[in-house]
Structures are given as structure tokens and as C-alpha cells.
């Protein structure tokens, strides 16, 4: 089951940076498997080692409520068709579907600009290249403010 983690100490280059991570199991739910398939659409950033999923392919709608961080990972039906994912997902709004919702407890009250998706549990991360995250943009309406902040 996907889990949301909002804490410092995840980024080895900046241990004090607050990071929002979603940890998924590549063999888990249909949404987790679909998110792994979306990885085929990622483009790599050689400077950061991260893989970016374009906001036109998927995005992360995030919020904090009563000490809980909630991350909805959302995509478009035509994107799923394009990558061969046949599973049905509930509508998120008129144009998108909800791939998965991840939640977790937090003591923080702010969110960083980007959401990182890991297929390795946070406490097991190493410097292994296979453990580099996918980076999801915020929803379309929040992107302009987030563009000024690096993930």
C-alpha cells in the first residue's frame, strides 16, 4: 500500500530540506503498477538524478489535514491508454482519474514544490541508481508558483 512521507533527511545532498515522498510497491495495487508504467514517460535530469513525469501526463495533488499528509496522484485516461494500462480508475474531476491516494502522519505544516515517488522504502534508500525517484509536479493551477522552486 502506498505511503506518503513528509520529512527531512531524505535528500542526501540537503538533509535539512523538507521532502514529500510517496513510497509505492511496484507489484502492489493497480494504481501503484500504473504509476510504475508511467515511468516509461519520464525524462531524466542528469544533474539531479531524478526522473520527471511531465504535468501533462500526471500530477500530485497534495494537502495537510489534521496532522496527516494526503497525496492524490492523478493522470489522464488517454495517458493510461497510451502506455497500455487497461485498469479502470475512479474519476478525479471531469478530465482526470485518480491513480492512487497515499497518506501518512506528519508534524510539518508546509509542502515542498514537488512530490517524489520512490519504489524503495525510505529507510532502505542507498546511493543505488535504481532508487532514483520520479518527480511529480503539483496540479496545473499550482505550477506557476512552484516553478520557482527546485524539487
Amino acid at each position: 500500500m502506498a505511503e506518503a512521507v513528509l520529512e527531512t533527511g531524505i535528500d542526501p545532498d540537503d538533509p535539512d530540506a523538507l521532502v514529500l515522498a510517496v513510497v509505492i510497491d511496484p507489484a502492489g495495487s493497480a494504481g501503484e503498477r500504473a504509476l510504475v508504467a508511467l515511468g516509461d514517460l519520464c525524462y531524466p535530469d542528469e544533474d539531479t538524478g531524478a526522473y520527471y513525469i511531465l504535468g501533462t501526463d500526471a500530477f500530485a495533488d497534495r494537502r495537510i489535514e489534521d496532522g496527516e499528509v494526503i497525496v492524490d496522484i492523478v493522470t489522464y485516461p488517454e495517458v493510461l491508454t497510451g502506455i497500455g494500462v487497461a485498469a479502470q480508475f475512479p474519476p478525479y474531476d471531469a478530465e482526470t482519474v485518480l491513480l492512487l491516494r497515499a497518506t501518512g502522519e506528519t508534524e510539518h505544516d508546509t509542502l515542498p514544490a514537488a512530490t517524489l515517488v520512490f519504489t524503495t522504502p525510505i529507510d532502505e534508500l542507498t546511493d543505488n541508481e535504481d532508487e532514483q525517484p520520479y518527480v511529480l509536479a503539483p496540479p496545473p493551477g499550482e505550477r506557476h508558483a512552484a516553478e520557482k522552486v527546485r524539487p
Side-chain angles (χ1 to χ4, degrees):
M1 183 168 146
E3 176 188 20
V5 177
L6 179 62
E7 61 186 48
T8 59
I10 295 173
D11 183 349
D13 296 329
D14 188 359
D16 294 329
L18 185 62
V19 173
L20 175 57
V22 173
V23 181
I24 63 170
D25 177 357
S29 70
E32 290 169 290
R33 293 189 313 272
L35 188 52
V36 170
L38 276 171
D40 290 341
L41 302 177
C42 287
Y43 70 91
D45 181 332
E46 293 180 16
D47 292 334
T48 64
Y51 295 89
Y52 290 84
I53 295 178
L54 296 176
T56 54
D57 292 333
F59 59 87
D61 195 1
R62 318 85 45 81
R63 62 193 176 281
I64 298 172
E65 295 177 359
D66 299 322
E68 182 178 49
V69 61
I70 302 163
V71 180
D72 291 334
I73 299 181
V74 180
T75 191
Y76 303 87
E78 53 274 5
V79 170
L80 294 176
T81 300
I83 61 173
V85 173
Q88 297 295 312
F89 295 96
Y92 193 71
D93 61 24
E95 299 176 355
T96 61
V97 294
L98 177 65
L99 277 185
L100 65 93
R101 174 172 284 168
T103 62
E105 293 181 11
T106 187
E107 295 179 6
H108 299 282
D109 58 1
T110 59
L111 293 167
T115 302
L116 306 181
V117 177
F118 290 92
T119 57
T120 302
I122 296 298
D123 59 351
E124 296 177 20
L125 289 176
T126 65
D127 289 335
N128 185 336
E129 186 175 301
D130 293 336
E131 296 171 352
Q132 296 304 314
Y134 301 161
V135 180
L136 288 168
E142 295 178 26
R143 288 193 192 129
H144 297 293
E147 285 172 0
K148 299 176 184 162
V149 182
R150 290 192 80 205

